[in-house]
Amino acid sequence: MTARRCAGMAGFRVLLLLLCAGAAFSYYPFVHYTTGTAPFQAAPERFDLKALPGGTLYYFVSGKGPEKLAAGDSFTSVLSQIRQAAKVWNDVETSALRFEFGGLSAPGAVQTTPGVDVLFGEVELPPGLIALGGPTSRSTLISDESGAFVPITRSILVLGKDLSQRPSHSSAFFLTVVHELGHALGLQHTLTSGAMSTEVTRSTTRSRPLSADDIAGISLLYPGATQARRAGSISGRVSLNGVGVHLASVVALEPAGAAVSALTDPEGRFHITGLAPGQYYVYAHALPPGGQPEMGPADIVLPVFPDGSQVPAGPVFETMFYPGASGIQQAGVLTVSAGRDTPDCNFEVRAREPLKLYGVTTYSFPGPVAVKPAFLNVNGTRKFLVAYGRGLITGGAPSPGLNVSVVGGSANVFQDTVAA
């Protein structure tokens, strides 16, 4: 099971309330709606960088360290990997966030300035989770030139006290820390296989830990001076029988594969920003079921209205490509220009039964060892991919109607090659 932020179990109700938020942002940060009726105004939770010395956010690592480590591992190595993971977020050029190591903290130490605390078992992890992260305290709503937001005053990243099964030198440990630090900075899950996707569907690597979606998300939350000039956007609405669908995922996909997504607001409206100029397929899809109690689909912390009430997700619907196509073969493309919005990308979707196929992981075998994310070398001897996930197999055979297609011209998938 992938690492998760603070939420979801009965003993974590207080933390869950601290994390509840939502928005029709290009990404999906922790956001409060400032209005209870349309048009909905969203205020994300984020650190107020202007209120920090030098505009720098510091994280502090518990000097207690983990109780158990893998053979040959050390606390020095663990600390080094945490610092490298934080540097990933610090080095995004289009983000104003500067994220630096503040030093080791004594067990039980109380920090009075905004920051992130990295802990090892001081907070008990719910069953099945290997780590969690997210905001734990915040101030009252304020505004600046980028709009209204709720300042985060403290966040945590909790790693288990027993790290013997996930050594610090492994890619799994490094990418887990990147993921959870993203939650601590204010980002929720995404459905585009980036760093902020769950571990099951994540397709980033140590050498390239952030996807286009992750970069767009952190740059939207902490916009740099050049972000608005360099990026374009796509906006529209997802509706079912004329009624807006809340928490529909809308994805702008380059033919080469880079994707940036948004989730819809209670009216079904979305705004995908942070897009590099170019042409995009756009599709809308329903979120998969969540795995944690009291969470929304895809383990999203549901948004809240000003009175604190949660806004439920909309109905499940069939995936649709713009402009109304059921598959990529019939889809059109939209052109995005720097500094401009491409409007009226609207979807009138059809209801369907709950999703049966989701959470798929793909592997390839260029040699005797499985590689994730998968890639296919048609000139090699192992010209196949392996997929693992819910709904792929029914009665010991591939599920009826199962098929695979590839977006773009860099690869070909031949018919009748899906095997159990």
Side-chain angles (χ1 to χ4, degrees), residues 61-406:
V61 180
S62 172
K64 173 185 176 181
E67 295 180 2
K68 295 182 180 180
L69 293 167
D73 209 350
S74 67
F75 179 55
T76 299
S77 178
V78 170
L79 179 60
S80 173
Q81 293 304 305
I82 292 171
R83 296 185 67 171
Q84 288 298 314
K87 188 175 184 296
V88 167
W89 294 111
N90 178 77
D91 289 351
V92 177
E93 293 182 357
T94 51
S95 165
L97 174 69
R98 300 282 71 84
F99 193 36
E100 299 287 350
F101 179 49
L104 297 178
S105 59
V110 178
Q111 302 287 347
T112 58
T113 58
V116 177
D117 297 302
V118 181
L119 309 174
F120 299 93
E122 286 92 330
V123 175
E124 184 178 355
L125 295 173
L129 302 190
I130 60 173
L132 56 80
T136 55
S137 63
R138 57 184 182 267
S139 186
T140 56
L141 180 76
I142 62 174
S143 296
D144 63 11
E145 65 277 5
S146 64
F149 69 100
V150 175
I152 300 172
T153 55
R154 210 73 195 171
S155 280
I156 59 173
L157 187 167
V158 181
L159 296 164
K161 56 187 177 182
D162 182 356
L163 297 182
S164 60
Q165 301 303 309
R166 186 158 289 210
S168 64
H169 59 77
S170 67
S171 293
F173 179 84
F174 176 78
L175 294 174
T176 291
V177 176
V178 171
H179 177 96
E180 295 302 335
L181 284 176
H183 284 322
L185 295 173
L187 299 176
Q188 288 216 62
H189 279 163
T190 180
L191 280 298
T192 58
S193 299
M196 295 311 299
S197 298
T198 64
E199 190 172 45
V200 173
T201 59
R202 194 180 306 148
S203 293
T204 54
T205 63
R206 179 186 288 272
S207 61
R208 194 172 182 178
L210 298 183
S211 69
D213 202 32
D214 303 311
I215 293 170
I218 200 69
S219 301
L220 180 65
L221 201 55
Y222 301 99
T226 63
Q227 173 68 357
R229 297 195 304 270
R230 295 171 60 176
S233 63
I234 296 173
S235 60
R237 185 170 184 258
V238 179
S239 59
L240 195 160
N241 296 325
V243 179
V245 179
H246 182 221
L247 290 187
S249 176
V250 186
V251 182
L253 178 67
E254 288 184 314
V260 179
S261 62
L263 295 183
T264 56
D265 72 5
E267 279 193 296
R269 301 192 182 280
F270 66 90
H271 191 199
I272 308 175
T273 66
L275 297 174
Q279 292 189 318
Y280 290 85
Y281 296 109
V282 185
Y283 65 93
H285 70 96
L287 297 181
Q292 297 186 54
E294 301 186 42
M295 302 287 280
D299 286 336
I300 292 290
V301 177
L302 291 172
V304 292
F305 284 137
D307 63 1
S309 62
Q310 293 184 335
V311 189
V316 178
F317 60 90
E318 294 180 3
T319 298
M320 178 177 288
F321 284 81
Y322 181 84
S326 59
I328 189 75
Q329 293 80 7
Q330 296 81 36
V333 294
L334 291 175
T335 300
V336 171
S337 302
R340 300 184 61 182
D341 180 54
T342 302
D344 301 322
C345 180
N346 300 322
F347 299 85
E348 177 60 33
V349 297
R350 297 180 292 272
R352 59 158 296 162
E353 296 178 352
L355 298 179
K356 297 180 180 179
L357 175 61
Y358 58 89
V360 175
T361 303
T362 57
Y363 304 88
S364 60
F365 293 83
V369 178
V371 173
K372 177 180 178 287
F375 69 92
L376 185 63
N377 180 3
V378 296
N379 295 318
T381 59
R382 296 169 176 258
K383 304 175 184 179
F384 61 89
L385 303 178
V386 174
Y388 172 83
R390 186 182 297 271
L392 288 172
I393 301 298
T394 302
S399 298
L402 185 65
N403 62 79
V404 178
S405 62
V406 174

